[in-house]
Amino acid sequence: MGIPLKNKLSPITPAEIRKAFPVMVYIGRIAAVLLVLVVGASSLYYSGRQREKEKLIEHTYAVYNKVDTAGNLLNSISLNRNRYINTGLIGFLKEYNTNSIYLQAQLGLLTNMVKDNPAQITRVSKLCNDLENLNQFWKSGHLLLKQHKGGSAAQIVFLEKAKMDVVIADINTIKQAEQRLLALREAENKQLRQRTEVAIISGTVLILIIVYFLIWFIWKEFNNRVRVYQQEKEISELKTNFVSIASHEFRTPLSSVILSLSLIEKYARNNDTEGVLKHSQKIKSAVNNLTAILEDFLSLEKLNTGKVRVKNEHFDLKELCESIMEDMGVSLKPHQQLLYNPSETSIIVDLDKHLVHNAIVNLISNSIKYAGDKATILLETKNNGDGIFISVKDNGIGIAEEDQKNLFTPFYRVNSTGNIPGTGLGLNIVLRYVKLMNGKLSFSSMPGKETRFEMIFSDGKPL
């Protein structure tokens, strides 16, 4: 007979866990580092491009301001010239000359600033030529030093205005071009900034996902290792419990058998038939106890190794219970009673007949052993439309509250059992049989008054 030491919770082995853990952690760490590098490189790349765009925007603003300054200087030059002509004051002439020199310097700077823009170079060159023509027109003796009257003066004023309008149009054309260029570069910079934000946010989210995965995996690994440790501890406890129970439960009936055989030999020599029969019955009882213990261990091993398969079939539950009543009647103690109370004359169910039989027998056997010498044990079955109910109730000593929470734990035996033989496996086996058939096992107990176990099945569907 094997010992039920198979891992019941998961097929994962400690070796597999130890092998998988570093691999997944290393992969996660490498992925996180690579993502950090990619996000960092992307941020540097987009940040560099954004700085370049911002410099171009600043340059465009500077060009625009320079053109605007040239326009203001032109207006100032024209105003000072007219003031000098009208008043003859030398101060206006000096201001005119100073602004003219400054305008030429600004145009030189403007030419250098737009050297990378062929279209603007053409426009600035035209502006310089038109300004030169205007300046030459101003420097002619007709405009700068002489007062003209009549039609010739009006004609000169008209020509001056025409030339000024051409220059102003050149300035406005350059300014409009810079405005369009500025709008384009600001749009590109905005788009680039959005891409940078998307790259940084996406990379950050991916990094957080990987970190979350690593935390989740490490937590899962920690739980797996705790579970493996608990399983190893459980296996150790199962071994200890098995050795303890086997040494006690097997030794006692075997000792009884040997003693009874010795007494039978003695009674046989003395022709004491009553003594022989008495001890023969003890031998049968001891053998039955050993058989029950072995059956418990074998059942648990089959459950743990997955060898128990549910084979549902249609059968009459009432007939099965009546058969069990006949078989279990011989196991009753002298003053015990075993009663059966079916709710119907026939209860047809679709369950595993063998598992149902074993579960009922196990529950009745527990009541016989632990309920007390004068207990009444009641088996009830009913079908109320919502499900099949099978209950075993006794009015025995009951189960203490401190024992109830561990009642279905393998090898656990309540403190009140005393020297009554048993493995502490029966209820755990019943519970697992019921779950295999998609049923539910419940119990209630009032110490010193009553204990009730009930199996509930609902047409083969989980409850």
Side-chain angles (χ1 to χ4, degrees):
M1 181 185 68
I3 302 174
L5 303 179
K6 185 176 177 62
N7 186 346
K8 304 187 290 298
L9 299 177
S10 171
I12 299 174
T13 63
E16 291 173 339
I17 293 175
R18 286 192 293 270
K19 183 178 180 181
F21 178 68
V23 172
M24 296 301 294
V25 171
Y26 290 150
I27 291 175
R29 289 169 62 184
I30 292 172
V33 170
L34 289 176
L35 268 177
V36 170
L37 293 176
V38 169
V39 172
S42 300
S43 300
L44 289 175
Y45 171 74
Y46 285 117
S47 297
R49 289 190 59 188
Q50 191 170 351
R51 284 193 295 271
E52 292 176 0
K53 290 291 182 184
E54 289 173 352
K55 288 180 180 179
L56 290 175
I57 290 172
E58 291 176 0
H59 179 74
T60 306
Y61 271 114
V63 171
Y64 182 87
N65 292 331
K66 190 67 68 178
V67 176
D68 196 51
T69 300
N72 293 332
L73 286 172
L74 179 63
N75 290 329
S76 179
I77 290 171
S78 176
L79 182 62
N80 287 323
R81 173 193 166 279
N82 291 329
R83 287 174 178 174
Y84 172 70
I85 291 173
N86 293 327
T87 63
L89 295 176
I90 299 300
F92 292 121
L93 180 61
K94 290 182 179 179
E95 188 72 20
Y96 164 82
N97 290 329
T98 301
N99 287 338
S100 296
I101 295 171
Y102 188 46
L103 177 60
Q104 292 299 321
Q106 294 300 308
L107 289 175
L109 293 174
L110 180 62
T111 302
N112 185 60
M113 292 173 70
V114 299
K115 63 182 179 180
D116 294 331
N117 189 338
Q120 286 292 67
I121 289 177
T122 301
R123 297 186 187 100
V124 172
S125 297
K126 184 177 181 300
L127 172 62
C128 291
N129 292 331
D130 291 339
L131 275 173
E132 181 63 25
N133 290 333
L134 178 62
N135 189 45
Q136 291 298 327
F137 183 77
W138 279 342
K139 286 183 178 180
S140 65
H142 298 286
L143 294 175
L144 189 57
L145 299 175
K146 298 179 180 180
Q147 298 288 337
H148 295 278
K149 300 180 181 179
S152 59
Q155 184 179 7
I156 290 171
V157 171
F158 178 79
L159 289 174
E160 178 187 2
K161 184 177 184 307
K163 291 182 180 295
M164 279 287 294
D165 290 342
V166 170
V167 174
I168 292 172
D170 291 341
I171 292 174
N172 289 334
T173 300
I174 296 172
K175 289 173 68 175
Q176 290 171 1
E178 289 300 320
Q179 286 177 338
R180 290 193 298 272
L181 183 60
L182 180 62
L184 177 63
R185 287 176 173 175
E186 285 182 340
E188 290 176 348
N189 186 54
K190 181 179 179 181
Q191 186 178 21
L192 188 61
R193 185 167 57 250
Q194 291 174 346
R195 289 179 181 177
T196 304
E197 291 174 354
V198 169
I200 293 174
I201 293 173
S202 301
T204 303
V205 170
L206 287 174
I207 292 171
L208 290 176
I209 290 173
I210 292 178
V211 171
Y212 171 80
F213 169 77
L214 287 174
I215 294 173
W216 171 82
F217 183 78
I218 292 171
W219 177 254
K220 183 179 179 181
E221 166 63 13
F222 172 77
N223 287 335
N224 284 337
R225 295 199 176 193
V226 169
R227 186 174 65 183
V228 169
Y229 169 76
Q230 291 174 341
Q231 290 169 358
E232 292 175 348
K233 183 180 178 182
E234 180 183 351
I235 289 172
S236 176
E237 290 176 352
L238 288 175
K239 290 179 180 179
T240 303
N241 288 332
F242 175 77
V243 171
S244 176
I245 290 175
S247 63
H248 180 269
E249 299 298 337
F250 284 106
R251 187 189 302 116
T252 301
L254 287 174
S255 299
S256 177
V257 168
I258 293 172
L259 178 60
S260 295
L261 285 173
S262 300
L263 292 174
I264 285 174
E265 291 177 356
K266 177 181 177 182
Y267 291 135
R269 286 195 296 268
N270 297 330
N271 294 322
D272 187 348
T273 305
E274 183 179 350
V276 171
L277 292 175
K278 177 182 176 182
H279 286 282
S280 295
Q281 188 63 36
K282 286 186 177 182
I283 291 175
K284 289 180 182 179
S285 177
V287 171
N288 287 335
N289 287 337
L290 286 173
T291 302
I293 293 171
L294 290 173
E295 185 64 31
D296 283 347
F297 282 120
L298 287 172
S299 298
L300 188 62
E301 182 181 28
K302 289 179 180 179
L303 284 167
N304 288 339
T305 55
K307 293 180 180 179
V308 178
R309 295 287 185 270
V310 176
K311 298 178 181 178
N312 288 343
E313 59 179 300
H314 291 284
F315 65 92
D316 190 339
L317 179 60
K318 180 174 177 292
E319 289 184 0
L320 176 65
C321 290
E322 289 174 345
S323 174
I324 292 173
M325 295 292 289
E326 292 179 7
D327 295 337
M328 298 301 294
V330 298
S331 301
L332 291 171
K333 295 176 183 179
H335 299 290
Q336 286 182 335
Q337 284 186 316
L338 179 59
L339 306 176
Y340 176 43
N341 180 25
S343 61
E344 293 90 2
T345 57
S346 177
I347 304 176
I348 304 301
V349 297
D350 185 18
L351 296 168
D352 189 308
K353 187 175 182 180
H354 177 70
L355 297 185
V356 172
H357 174 276
N358 288 350
I360 295 174
V361 168
N362 214 318
L363 293 176
I364 293 176
S365 296
N366 278 352
S367 292
I368 291 173
K369 286 193 291 185
Y370 305 123
D373 294 339
K374 297 181 181 181
T376 299
I377 303 163
L378 177 62
L379 171 64
E380 293 181 310
T381 56
K382 62 179 178 179
N383 182 0
N384 64 0
D386 293 331
I388 307 299
F389 295 81
I390 306 170
S391 67
V392 176
K393 180 175 69 172
D394 64 66
N395 59 352
I397 61 176
I399 303 169
E401 291 185 4
E402 61 269 18
D403 291 318
Q404 292 182 13
K405 60 182 179 180
N406 297 315
L407 200 57
F408 298 100
T409 304
F411 296 107
Y412 182 80
R413 304 193 68 205
V414 299
N415 294 327
S416 60
T417 55
N419 295 322
I420 301 174
T423 61
L425 296 174
L427 290 177
N428 179 264
I429 292 171
V430 172
L431 176 64
R432 295 172 71 174
Y433 281 169
V434 172
K435 286 185 176 180
L436 283 174
M437 293 184 286
N438 294 321
K440 179 181 178 182
L441 177 63
S442 63
F443 83 97
S444 61
S445 181
M446 292 184 290
K449 293 183 178 180
E450 179 185 275
T451 299
R452 179 188 183 93
F453 287 87
E454 186 171 52
M455 297 179 285
I456 308 171
F457 304 96
S458 177
D459 297 328
K461 299 178 181 178
L463 291 172

